[in-house]
C-alpha cells in the first residue's frame, strides 16, 4: 500500500484518547490519515459547533503530527435524515449539512462522506426519496460555494446498495462536480445481486475514496452483517477487488473502517488489520 494513502477511521482509535494521542497512534501504526467521525451522538454532533480556536488547534495538531484529516464520515444524518417526512427533522438535517461543510472548509477536509440513506429509522417511501433528492441538491449548492466534495457511500441499506443505484441518483440530480462516490467494498460485497468488479468499474470515474472492511452476505434468511466482521472471516474478495482497482487505474486513498474505541487491544488490532490489507494488496500485485 506504499503507493497509495492508507487511512484509519477515527472510531478504530481509543475514544478516551486526546487528539494528540490519536495522531500519535496513527503515526506509530504507519497510517497516512484519519477520517473524522461526525456521528449521530450528541457528543460528536457538537463538533459542528467547534469554535475557531478549537478548529485551529486541531489543524495545528494534525500538521505537527504529519497525519492528515482529508475526509469526514458524516453519519449524523441517520438521526436527522434529509428525506424525513417530518419537516423539523429535515431542517435539522440541512443545518447539520451546512455546519459540516463549514467545518470541513475550516479544517481543510476535502471530502464529506454521506451515508446513502433517504431515511434510517423511518419507513421508506417515494416521498422520502424525493425529499432526500431535493435536499441533496440544496446541499450541493453549499458544497460548491466552499469547494467541498459530497461523496455518497454505498451502504448496508437497499436505498443505496450499489454503484448502479448511485449512478441513477446522480442522473436524476443533474451534473455537479461536487457530487462523487465513496464505495465500501464490504457493503458492495454483502449484497448478492452485486457483481463487485462490474460495480467498481461502473463507478471508477466518480470514485474519490474507498472503505475497506469485511462483511457477511445478505441471504433469504439472514440480513447480513455490515460491521465488526474480522478481516478474513467474511465474504469480501480483497485481492480481487485490489486487482480490479489497479487495472482501472484507481490512485486514490483507502480507508480501513473498524470499530475499536473501547478495545483494550487497539494497537494489536490496528496492526493486524493493516497487515491483512497489505498482504492482500501484494497478492493482487503478483504478475
Amino acid at each position: 500500500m506504499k503507493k497509495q494513502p492508507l487511512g484509519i477511521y477515527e472510531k478504530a482509535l481509543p475514544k478516551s484518547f486526546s487528539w494528540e494521542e490519536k495522531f500519535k497512534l496513527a503515526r506509530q501504526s504507519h497510517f497516512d490519515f484519519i477520517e473524522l467521525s461526525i456521528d449521530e451522538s450528541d457528543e460528536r454532533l457538537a463538533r459542528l459547533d467547534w469554535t475557531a480556536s478549537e478548529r485551529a488547534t486541531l489543524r495545528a495538531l494534525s500538521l505537527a503530527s504529519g497525519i492528515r484529516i482529508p475526509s469526514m464520515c458524516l453519519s449524523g444524518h441517520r438521526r436527522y435524515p434529509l428525506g424525513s417526512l417530518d419537516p423539523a427533522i429535515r431542517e435539522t438535517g440541512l443545518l447539520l449539512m451546512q455546519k459540516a461543510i463549514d467545518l470541513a472548509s475550516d479544517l481543510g477536509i476535502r471530502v464529506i462522506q454521506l451515508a446513502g440513506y433517504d431515511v434510517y429509522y423511518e419507513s421508506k417511501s417515494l416521498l422520502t426519496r424525493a425529499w432526500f433528492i431535493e435536499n441533496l441538491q440544496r446541499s450541493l449548492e453549499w458544497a460548491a460555494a466552499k469547494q467541498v466534495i459530497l461523496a455518497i457511500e454505498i451502504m448496508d441499506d437497499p436505498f443505496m446498495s450499489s454503484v448502479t443505484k448511485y449512478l441513477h441518483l446522480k442522473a436524476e440530480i443533474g451534473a455537479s462536480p461536487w457530487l462523487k462516490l465513496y464505495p465500501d467494498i464490504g457493503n458492495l460485497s454483502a449484497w448478492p445481486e452485486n457483481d463487485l468488479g462490474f460495480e467498481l468499474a461502473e463507478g471508477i470515474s466518480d470514485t474519490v475514496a474507498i472503505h475497506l472492511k469485511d462483511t457477511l452476505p445478505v441471504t433469504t434468511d439472514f440480513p447480513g452483517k455490515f460491521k465488526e466482521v474480522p478481516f478474513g472471516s467474511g465474504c469480501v474478495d480483497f485481492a480481487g477487488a485490489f486487482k480490479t482497482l489497479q487495472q482501472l487505474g484507481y490512485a486514490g486513498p483507502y480507508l480501513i473502517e473498524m470499530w475499536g474505541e473501547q478495545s483494550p487491544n487497539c494497537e494489536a488490532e490496528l496492526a493486524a488489520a493493516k497487515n491483512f490489507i497489505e498482504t492482500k494488496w501484494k497478492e493482487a500485485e503478483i504478475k
Side-chain angles (χ1 to χ4, degrees):
M1 301 296 293
K2 292 182 179 179
K3 296 179 182 178
Q4 289 171 252
L6 179 63
I8 190 67
Y9 187 34
E10 183 193 347
K11 287 189 175 183
L13 307 173
K15 192 171 185 179
S16 61
F17 274 21
S18 66
W19 271 108
E20 187 172 14
E21 290 171 321
K22 289 178 181 179
F23 285 128
K24 182 179 179 180
L25 178 55
R27 185 178 67 249
Q28 290 175 340
S29 301
H30 303 288
F31 288 104
D32 300 301
F33 65 93
I34 294 173
E35 184 165 271
L36 179 72
S37 169
I38 305 290
D39 64 19
E40 59 188 306
S41 67
D42 289 339
E43 177 185 358
R44 285 201 161 105
L45 288 175
R47 293 173 167 184
L48 298 176
D49 294 312
W50 272 342
T51 65
S53 176
E54 289 172 315
R55 297 173 192 218
T57 296
L58 185 58
R59 289 198 307 269
L61 289 172
S62 173
L63 183 62
S65 71
I67 299 295
R68 300 176 297 118
I69 306 181
S71 57
M72 171 198 300
C73 178
L74 180 60
S75 55
H77 282 130
R78 291 188 3 157
R79 182 175 170 185
Y80 299 104
L82 297 178
S84 176
L85 295 180
D86 185 331
I89 292 177
R90 290 199 306 272
E91 286 304 311
T92 300
L94 285 168
L95 179 59
L96 296 183
M97 184 73 85
Q98 284 182 304
K99 289 182 175 182
I101 291 169
D102 288 343
L103 179 63
S105 178
D106 289 346
L107 294 179
I109 288 173
R110 297 169 174 80
V111 174
I112 296 177
Q113 177 247 294
L114 298 182
Y117 302 121
D118 53 346
V119 292
Y120 188 75
Y121 298 112
E122 302 176 36
S123 297
K124 297 175 182 296
S125 68
L126 188 59
L127 187 54
T128 61
R129 183 181 187 275
W131 277 121
F132 174 81
I133 290 172
E134 179 175 315
N135 287 325
L136 181 56
Q137 289 172 318
R138 293 178 64 185
S139 300
L140 285 166
E141 294 178 4
W142 303 328
K146 294 283 187 174
Q147 297 180 292
V148 173
I149 290 171
L150 303 184
I152 303 289
E153 183 185 13
I154 304 306
M155 300 305 301
D156 56 347
D157 182 277
F159 182 79
M160 192 59 60
S161 58
S162 68
V163 172
T164 303
K165 289 182 177 180
Y166 159 79
L167 292 172
H168 289 166
L169 180 73
K170 178 186 177 184
E172 189 169 347
I173 287 175
S176 171
W178 307 104
L179 179 64
K180 296 297 179 184
L181 175 65
Y182 199 139
D184 181 313
I185 65 170
N187 292 344
L188 276 170
S189 299
W191 295 101
E193 63 269 26
N194 287 339
D195 178 322
L196 180 59
F198 174 82
E199 292 291 317
L200 291 173
E202 284 292 282
I204 193 63
S205 63
D206 271 18
T207 298
V208 294
I210 292 176
H211 269 172
L212 302 174
K213 70 180 181 191
D214 220 337
T215 51
L216 297 178
V218 175
T219 67
T220 55
D221 56 358
F222 180 64
K225 187 175 182 183
F226 294 86
K227 289 179 64 175
E228 299 178 319
V229 176
F231 282 104
S233 66
C235 65
V236 178
D237 179 358
F238 286 95
F242 288 144
K243 189 67 174 178
T244 299
L245 289 161
Q246 290 167 14
Q247 291 173 337
L248 292 170
Y250 176 70
Y254 291 93
L255 189 284
I256 292 179
E257 189 174 29
M258 316 171 40
W259 293 264
E261 290 188 310
Q262 308 299 332
S263 173
N265 302 310
C266 181
E267 292 188 44
E269 291 168 1
L270 291 175
K274 189 170 185 291
N275 180 69
F276 177 87
I277 292 300
E278 290 178 338
T279 297
K280 293 300 179 181
W281 181 267
K282 290 176 182 177
E283 287 181 23
E285 288 186 319
I286 295 174
K287 304 299 183 183

